[in-house]
Amino acid sequence: MLSVPHILADESSCYCHGYVLAEMSVHQTRDHFLEKYCAIVDNPQVGADLTSVYWRPGNWAMFLDLVQQLTGKPLVADAWVAKLKVPTDDLLAKEKQEYEAAVKAGPKSEPGSEFDLGMRVRLVHGDEEISDSQTDGGFQQACAKFKTWVRQHYLEGKQQ
């Protein structure tokens, strides 16, 4: 399957097919989560499922096996093809409706409030550690320190 040459450059045929398989799995995975949980954004169950089935196994698991384990189906193009069949105007109207509903619902947490990502975040530039959520008092403080660093190194003397 991965030996079919690319139209313009035969040496990149594996890349093209890899992207197609990845796109198929994205649509199949999204459909699975929407069917199972009705929502993806800000849903901790989605993150838990992705972590346990897709990410935790690392490279020891076969890609097609991971998709089937999570979604309960072998990888097929059905979800992607279904999306491609939707007329553009209908798709835009549906996405606008979903966007407006999300805006109306508002954020899950107050903008600027501290929240626990359940992980340590280090922001680095080469060998230089700019900020660290563990030692700088949390994620928000690490981001503020990084923002200051960016301004000092890239925007100093320029209008902001």
Side-chain angles (χ1 to χ4, degrees), residues 47-63:
D49 287 358
L50 287 172
T51 299
S52 66
V53 180
Y54 278 1
W55 301 330
R56 189 165 288 130
N59 288 332
W60 68 263
M62 299 292 292
F63 169 72

Side-chain angles (χ1 to χ4, degrees), residues 19-130:
Y19 286 123
V20 168
L21 293 173
E23 189 74 22
M24 286 169 55
S25 71
V26 165
H27 289 282
Q28 185 166 324
T29 300
R30 285 179 56 82
D31 274 10
H32 165 74
F33 284 137
L34 289 171
E35 183 178 309
K36 185 175 181 179
Y37 299 125
C38 298
I40 296 174
V41 176
D42 289 331
N43 185 336
Q45 296 164 312
V46 170
D49 287 358
L50 287 172
T51 299
S52 66
V53 180
Y54 278 1
W55 301 330
R56 189 165 288 130
N59 288 332
W60 68 263
M62 299 292 292
F63 169 72
L64 297 176
D65 294 339
L66 294 173
V67 174
Q68 184 161 2
Q69 184 182 350
L70 180 72
T71 67
K73 304 181 230 178
L75 180 63
V76 292
D78 297 351
W80 190 14
V81 170
K83 183 121 183 180
L84 293 170
K85 286 181 176 180
V86 176
T88 304
D89 290 341
D90 294 350
L91 180 63
L92 290 173
K94 181 179 181 273
E95 289 183 356
K96 182 178 181 185
Q97 180 184 16
E98 290 171 354
Y99 172 78
E100 289 172 350
V103 168
K104 184 177 179 183
K108 295 281 184 182
S109 59
E110 286 297 315
S113 65
E114 188 64 44
F115 50 91
D116 183 13
L117 295 174
M119 62 186 220
R120 177 182 185 184
V121 177
R122 293 176 62 233
L123 300 165
V124 300
H125 178 66
D127 291 334
E128 177 187 2
E129 181 177 287
I130 299 164

